[in-house]
Amino acid sequence: MTTRILTGITTTGTPHLGNYAGAIRPAIVASRAADADSFYFLADYHALIKCDDPARIQRSRLEIAATWLALGLDVNKATFYRQSDIPEIPELCWLLTCVAGKGLLNRAHAYKASVDKNVEQGEDPDAGVTMGLFSYPVLMAADILMFNAHKVPVGRDQIQHVEMARDIGQRFNHLFGNGKELFVLPEAVIEEDVATLPGLDGRKMSKSYDNTIPLFGTAKELKNAIARIVTDSKLPGEAKDPDNSHLFTLYQAFSSAEQQAAFRAELLDGLAWGEAKQRLFELLDGELSEARERYNALISKPADLEDILLAGAAKARKIATPFLGELREAVGLRSFRTQATAATSEKKKASKSARFVSFRDDDGSFRFRLLDAAGEQLLLSKSFADGKSAGQVNKRLQSGEELDVREQDGGFAVWLDGEAVAHSPAFADAAECQAAIARLREALAPQE
């Protein structure tokens, strides 16, 4: 079975080493699996929630696209696109907004954090809160549900958003699915073996903390960043504690088991921090140098990147466009022409079908007839004291259970629970009777 995987990265900054180790590298590895159908996108609509600098967003889109390609994403295998090139996504976002509960969105972590901060500062709870921030989880749900992703690799802080996408998708299925699961309910995937990289100061590597290591800076820029990593005051010759060193944690994320063991032994043996940082530089420069050259070549040809992304969008829209048409149909946004054609078809279909007709006799009892497609009577029921009893027999005849049909008096009768509950008219001969029995069985056969 093919598993559809979807990952997006917000275009508000330049990718750093933490992005590579925590998201990009495992995603590219996953995309190479034989059973994977991978969708990776630039979340540039999401960027508008966080950033009001158009130049920064444009530059970030370019840098992030070049990063994924330079690090080995195969666009022939994976679907790689910009969110803003798929017009079906914002339309789906509105359809989902119309079923998403405000109470659900009130519980979103980012919104609650903004409200709590405002309250602490004595501000109006919603001061500075845009509808983009508030409804961010619905747009993320549209990203995921548009392509019916099975698995969504995310950080722990994003698990709630995937769970909200499940809730919204389930609600939509219930309201408009008519028994069909329109949306696959996604599963959040946490890469337990992918460590969150520490930054230069030991906190999580993040643009917010300004403690990142550049992914595709020059070798000199990489070396200078590593030189700023905070270490303890142990002198050369004094044993260092690898397990409490974020420099060693960074080294672990990019080295083999043998390299880690050797580096650990050197630290315990008193390796100077300056030498340790040189070891880390050599490791990272070896890992990134070829990709850095590819990245610089891609950045220098933005028109080629544009062509790649537009091709990815066309590939994605081959799925999104017909699926959105199905969703529009489900909620009632249907073409009048299609509606008229469907109504005519249903009318013709109904006119050619056998049908039951219930009625009440003069004595107050209840009966029903079964008429074939031509309107000829196949069965006339016995009398029932009340409509409920007649309806129960009628329902059983249409349930698909095996018919007990017995020929008698020139016609036939249908039996249930040892009793004849309906009779046919009399026929001229046995052949005509058999033909009527065949029409009866066809009329009461279960519908596919």
Side-chain angles (χ1 to χ4, degrees):
M1 175 182 173
T2 300
T3 299
R4 184 164 288 174
I5 304 168
L6 182 139
T7 296
I9 186 165
T10 307
T11 56
T12 53
T14 301
H16 54 71
L17 197 67
N19 299 140
Y20 171 46
I24 300 173
R25 182 172 62 178
I28 290 174
V29 171
S31 74
R32 295 169 182 155
D35 62 347
D37 181 17
S38 301
F39 284 66
Y40 299 132
F41 67 96
L42 310 182
D44 47 1
Y45 278 143
H46 287 291
L48 300 178
I49 299 169
K50 305 176 181 179
C51 178
D52 58 6
D53 181 350
R56 180 182 177 190
I57 289 175
Q58 177 65 359
R59 180 66 185 179
S60 179
R61 296 199 312 166
L62 182 70
E63 291 173 339
I64 292 173
T67 295
W68 281 82
L69 297 172
L71 290 170
L73 181 66
D74 183 352
V75 295
N76 294 313
K77 182 169 176 56
T79 304
F80 185 52
Y81 57 96
R82 279 178 300 222
Q83 184 186 35
S84 59
D85 287 331
I86 314 297
E88 292 81 3
I89 288 175
E91 183 171 350
L92 175 56
C93 183
W94 180 250
L95 297 184
L96 299 179
T97 297
C98 293
V99 303
K102 181 176 181 293
L104 179 69
L105 300 183
N106 285 342
R107 297 191 289 274
H109 296 325
Y111 172 65
K112 287 179 64 179
S114 295
V115 169
D116 291 345
K117 182 178 179 182
N118 285 334
V119 171
E120 287 175 9
Q121 295 177 349
E123 300 278 354
D124 180 271
D126 286 324
V129 175
T130 66
M131 283 306 298
L133 173 64
F134 183 71
S135 60
Y136 173 97
V138 187
L139 180 56
M140 185 167 173
D143 293 326
I144 298 167
L145 298 175
M146 182 82 263
F147 299 105
N148 276 326
H150 299 102
K151 296 184 181 295
V152 184
V154 291
R156 291 194 174 278
D157 59 337
Q158 292 287 319
I159 293 175
Q160 185 196 42
H161 289 146
V162 180
E163 291 174 343
M164 292 172 97
R166 287 178 62 91
D167 290 341
I168 295 168
Q170 192 169 38
R171 174 69 173 162
F172 194 98
N173 284 345
H174 174 72
L175 289 174
F176 303 114
N178 195 26
K180 179 180 179 182
E181 295 296 306
L182 293 165
F183 293 123
V184 169
L185 302 184
E187 175 187 348
V189 177
I190 305 300
E191 300 285 352
E192 297 291 356
D193 57 343
V194 176
T196 299
L197 291 192
L200 304 179
D201 56 2
R203 293 180 294 176
K204 174 185 175 182
M205 190 177 295
S206 170
K207 295 184 291 288
S208 302
Y209 299 143
D210 192 27
N211 67 350
T212 62
I213 295 176
L215 186 57
F216 290 133
T218 64
K220 183 177 180 181
E221 289 170 336
L222 175 63
K223 190 168 187 175
N224 287 341
I226 292 172
R228 298 201 309 274
I229 294 175
V230 176
T231 58
D232 62 29
S233 57
K234 294 288 180 65
L235 298 173
E238 291 185 285
K240 314 298 188 296
D241 181 3
D243 296 326
N244 288 305
S245 164
H246 44 277
L247 188 151
F248 184 72
T249 301
L250 286 165
Y251 191 93
Q252 280 183 304
F254 299 95
S255 59
S256 66
E258 292 77 12
Q259 289 172 314
Q260 292 172 33
F263 191 45
R264 172 185 286 274
E266 286 187 288
L267 289 172
L268 292 171
D269 200 37
L271 182 70
W273 284 123
E275 286 295 320
K277 290 177 180 180
Q278 177 64 23
R279 298 275 201 284
L280 178 60
F281 165 72
E282 291 170 357
L283 178 72
L284 293 180
D285 192 52
E287 169 100 3
L288 299 173
S289 58
E290 289 185 11
R292 184 192 302 137
E293 291 181 13
R294 291 193 294 269
Y295 173 84
N296 290 329
L298 287 162
I299 285 287
S300 69
K301 296 179 179 179
D304 290 350
L305 277 174
E306 182 73 13
D307 290 342
I308 291 170
L309 288 167
L310 289 179
K315 183 178 175 183
R317 293 193 69 197
K318 285 182 180 179
I319 298 170
T321 302
F323 184 44
L324 184 64
E326 183 181 353
L327 298 175
R328 288 171 63 92
E329 181 83 11
V331 301
L333 304 180
R334 302 164 186 163
S335 163
F336 293 152
R337 187 176 294 109
T338 303
Q339 182 179 346
T341 302
T344 301
S345 175
E346 286 299 317
K347 186 174 181 181
K348 289 180 178 178
K349 182 178 178 182
S351 68
K352 294 181 179 179
S353 301
R355 63 191 187 278
F356 283 90
V357 178
S358 300
F359 61 97
R360 194 168 186 177
D361 274 336
D362 292 339
D363 63 1
S365 63
F366 294 83
R367 304 177 80 181
F368 60 80
R369 292 187 177 93
L370 173 60
L371 308 180
D372 67 9
E376 295 184 13
Q377 182 173 298
L378 287 173
L379 288 176
L380 174 63
S381 77
K382 70 169 195 166
S383 296
F384 295 90
D386 56 82
K388 182 178 180 181
S389 299
Q392 289 174 338
V393 171
N394 189 319
K395 186 175 180 180
R396 284 187 63 185
L397 291 179
Q398 298 180 71
S399 69
E401 67 178 86
E402 186 174 349
L403 291 175
D404 181 0
V405 181
R406 305 180 190 180
E407 293 185 40
Q408 61 184 60
D409 303 325
F412 57 83
V414 176
W415 290 65
L416 289 176
D417 302 326
E419 178 186 16
V421 295
H423 295 78
S424 75
F427 298 99
D429 54 39
E432 190 175 332
C433 180
Q434 289 300 317
I437 291 174
R439 296 202 306 278
L440 172 72
R441 293 189 182 280
E442 181 180 359
L444 297 180
Q447 298 298 310
E448 295 295 330

